[in-house]
Amino acid sequence: MLDSSISFIPDAHLLLKWYDQNGRTLPWRAEKSAKTDPYHVWLSEIMLQQTGVKTVIDYYHKFLTKWPTIQAFAQASEEEVMKEWAGLGYYARARNLLKCAHQLIEIGGFPSTPAELRKLPGIGPYTANAIASMAFNQPYVAVDGNVERVAARIFAFLEPLPAARPALHKLSETLNHSPAAQNRPSDFMQALFDLGSLICTPRSPACLSCPWINHCQAFKNNQAAELPKRAPKAKNPTKYGAVFILENEAGEIWLQKRPPKGLLGSTMEMPGTSWELERQDEKEILSRAPIQGKWQKAEEVKHVFTHFTLFLMPYFLPSSSQKFSAERGRWANPAEAALSTLMKKAYQNFLAQKSTPQQKD
């Protein structure tokens, strides 16, 4: 591993020249060297956490169509925000967006320094640096997966992640220590992102097309495809659960709101069982149903979370549940509710099973 005090800095001018010709056109970016709206940078960066660009673009457009300014967004209800966010996952991001918007209105707009930005809900070191760099043209490096990969290869950083991540991040922050990068901080930051996304890819990097090929220590050592190194991952556990789908004559289903904190926080869900490490006996599962009846099964849902895989069995009643009521929850149109991707899968499997002719005994 190279020493963190390394004086070698790749030529930012070469990267910026490549970016001017090859940079991606993204809806939250202004024209090169133009000022970017901090609302746009903030919204897109929060959405891009744990989520790919292709998925985010549609959500970004939806949000800006509904709430074109931070002032408009700050007037939204949590239920409205969760509905528009549904399917993006990591729902704490949506709740923090709204909290952050309220604070931004109180303080009169976005602060321009990472230190002040980090005081806001949902904004950590990466997002603070990204906003300061891209919206306020300040010379900070926001280190995401793309930048980690570029730095690991440029400096031939051999220590495995995640343990060595702090050291790699320190190296990454030296990438803009040159006059050309300091003169165009916003463009340089976005050029780093694009280099990692388009050229310095996780697998089969296009090294021969890289503007930094002559600066890359990993390329010289024929190690580019191997870096960054990662420690072996522990196998994630598997969990099992069930949901009970109650539908009335209007096609509404009974939904309840998950607690604000925790997995899928503040999203709507069908009543169900807890998620266990072992598959439960069906008699035990049905004893937890909200009402007694001849429950039928739809196709089981497999859903992969970051730390575990869930198998969720949707149960439903073949007849109308119009008279059902409980202290917690309400009837709601599933198309308009803030259902998570998991609950949407369960509901779709229910619709598919419901439309399938049942064989008579």
Side-chain angles (χ1 to χ4, degrees):
M1 183 183 77
L2 294 181
D3 187 86
S4 60
S5 62
I6 185 172
S7 60
F8 159 72
I9 301 296
D11 188 342
H13 174 73
L14 292 175
L15 177 63
L16 286 164
K17 182 180 179 181
W18 170 85
Y19 173 68
D20 288 339
Q21 298 172 353
N22 301 283
R24 292 174 295 178
T25 299
L26 298 172
W28 43 84
R29 284 183 179 174
E31 293 294 325
K32 293 180 178 64
S33 298
K35 186 176 180 181
T36 304
D37 188 329
Y39 174 51
H40 295 175
V41 176
W42 166 67
L43 180 61
S44 63
E45 287 299 330
I46 298 297
M47 288 183 167
L48 286 164
Q49 294 171 8
Q50 308 291 337
T51 309
V53 168
K54 290 182 180 179
T55 301
V56 163
I57 287 175
D58 286 342
Y59 283 88
Y60 175 81
H61 283 310
K62 280 197 308 178
F63 266 66
L64 279 193
T65 299
K66 194 173 183 69
W67 303 295
T69 65
I70 186 66
Q71 291 80 8
F73 180 67
Q75 299 301 313
S77 68
E78 183 181 275
E79 186 172 356
E80 287 178 307
V81 174
M82 296 306 292
K83 177 187 172 184
E84 297 300 327
W85 191 271
L88 263 181
Y90 300 92
Y91 291 90
R93 294 182 295 171
R95 297 193 301 276
N96 281 329
L97 270 177
L98 195 53
K99 291 178 185 176
C100 187
H102 294 159
Q103 290 194 25
L104 288 168
I105 295 302
E106 288 179 8
I107 65 178
F110 284 89
S112 61
T113 65
E116 291 299 313
L117 286 161
R118 286 197 298 270
K119 296 177 183 178
L120 295 166
I123 296 184
Y126 163 78
T127 307
N129 281 14
I131 295 171
S133 172
M134 293 187 285
F136 296 102
N137 208 33
Q138 295 191 31
Y140 294 98
V141 176
V143 186
D144 70 347
N146 284 319
V147 176
E148 270 188 356
R149 191 164 56 254
V150 169
R153 291 169 177 171
I154 289 293
F155 299 116
F157 186 89
L158 302 178
E159 298 301 313
L161 304 182
R165 182 162 280 135
L168 179 57
H169 282 209
K170 283 186 178 181
L171 274 179
S172 302
E173 290 166 1
T174 69
L175 289 170
N176 70 347
H177 289 186
S178 67
Q182 298 286 309
N183 288 337
R184 296 175 60 186
S186 176
D187 290 343
F188 180 78
M189 188 65 258
Q190 295 177 96
L192 276 180
F193 289 152
D194 286 4
L195 184 67
S197 177
L198 302 176
I199 300 292
C200 199
T201 52
R203 297 178 181 84
S204 303
C207 296
L208 296 181
S209 300
C210 180
W212 277 351
I213 185 172
N214 292 326
H215 300 271
C216 183
Q217 302 303 305
F219 176 76
K220 290 179 181 178
N221 300 335
N222 197 28
Q223 295 173 305
E226 303 170 15
L227 300 178
K229 292 185 178 294
R230 299 183 186 276
K233 280 187 176 181
K235 185 178 179 181
N236 286 339
T238 298
K239 295 185 178 183
Y240 304 90
V243 288
F244 303 100
I245 301 174
L246 296 159
E247 185 181 46
N248 64 21
E249 292 176 353
E252 298 171 319
I253 60 175
W254 188 265
L255 295 173
Q256 56 196 30
K257 192 174 184 179
R258 289 180 66 87
K261 293 185 178 180
L263 201 59
L264 308 180
S266 294
T267 61
M268 303 300 289
E269 67 176 1
M270 293 77 91
T273 68
S274 59
W275 300 343
E276 310 289 347
L277 289 171
E278 294 184 4
R279 194 182 291 275
Q280 302 298 299
D281 177 82
E282 187 164 72
K283 185 177 180 180
E284 170 64 23
I285 292 172
L286 294 180
S287 71
R288 306 180 200 177
I291 57 174
Q292 297 303 307
K294 295 183 178 180
W295 290 94
Q296 296 183 9
K297 290 187 288 189
E299 184 179 350
E300 189 173 47
V301 172
K302 178 183 179 181
H303 191 79
V304 180
F305 290 98
T306 305
H307 301 298
F308 67 93
T309 298
L310 175 68
F311 286 90
L312 190 71
M313 180 64 72
Y315 286 87
F316 67 97
L317 290 175
S319 57
S320 170
S321 308
Q322 181 77 38
K323 296 181 181 180
F324 174 78
S325 66
E327 291 183 7
R328 184 186 172 205
R330 60 184 172 85
W331 294 109
N333 182 339
E336 298 176 355
L339 295 178
S340 63
T341 299
L342 171 64
M343 291 298 147
K344 286 179 180 177
K345 288 179 182 177
Y347 178 68
Q348 290 301 319
N349 286 5
F350 153 68
L351 290 180
Q353 184 66 29
K354 177 184 170 185
S355 64
T356 302
Q358 301 297 310
Q359 294 183 350
K360 295 183 179 180
D361 294 335

